[in-house]
């Protein structure tokens, strides 16, 4: 099973990942990329609201696509939520369904 990391690197930038209990109430979103902080925040489960692992992973990968676009100065992509969502969903599906390995 995939797990959401606490941090990772893109081009030498360390990106922190925080699970939050009140992100949706605060910002009305399930995930948020903050380039000035090198931080991805994800709305996690709360005592009164369960969140499916697949949804958490899709949200995480959506925000990773934003981070990659920012680091690569791909402003058109970064500002296109539909394309960011499609790429994030595709990455999540590849990682969820991969089997075996070569070499």
């Amino acid at each position: 099973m995939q797990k959401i990391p606490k941090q990772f690197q893109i081009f030498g930038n360390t990106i922190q990942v925080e699970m939050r209990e009140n992100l949706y109430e605060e910002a009305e979103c399930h995930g948020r990329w903050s380039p000035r902080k090198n931080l991805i925040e994800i709305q996690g489960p709360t005592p009164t609201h369960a969140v499916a692992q697949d949804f958490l992973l899709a949200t995480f990968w959506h925000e990773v696509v934003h981070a990659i676009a920012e680091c690569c100065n791909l402003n058109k992509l970064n500002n296109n939520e539909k394309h960011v969502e499609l790429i994030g969903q595709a990455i999540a599906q590849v990682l969820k369904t991969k089997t075996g390995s070569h070499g």
Side-chain angles (χ1 to χ4, degrees):
M1 174 191 277
Q2 292 181 59
K3 294 188 179 189
I4 295 173
K6 292 183 179 181
Q7 70 178 32
F8 60 92
Q9 288 194 353
I10 298 175
F11 300 122
N13 296 302
T14 300
I15 313 298
Q16 300 295 322
V17 181
E18 294 181 359
M19 299 299 291
R20 300 267 313 274
E21 285 192 12
N22 63 344
L23 182 62
Y24 191 81
E25 294 163 359
E26 176 186 304
E28 295 186 359
C29 60
H30 296 284
R32 176 168 61 185
W33 159 241
S34 300
R36 287 187 177 92
K37 297 178 183 178
N38 276 348
L39 174 66
I40 290 175
E41 299 168 283
I42 305 291
Q43 173 63 53
T46 67
T48 58
H49 183 72
V51 180
Q53 183 68 12
D54 283 349
F55 185 78
L56 289 174
L57 287 167
T59 302
F60 169 72
W61 286 109
H62 174 104
E63 299 308 327
V64 169
V65 173
H66 275 301
I68 291 169
E70 182 80 27
C71 290
C72 294
N73 201 26
L74 300 172
N75 297 326
K76 283 186 178 182
L77 173 60
N78 208 15
N79 293 325
N80 189 322
E81 285 296 317
K82 181 178 178 180
H83 289 159
V84 168
E85 181 65 16
L86 289 171
I87 294 168
Q89 289 282 346
I91 293 169
Q93 185 176 15
V94 167
L95 293 173
K96 181 179 180 180
T97 61
K98 66 183 173 26
T99 59
S101 62
H102 292 282

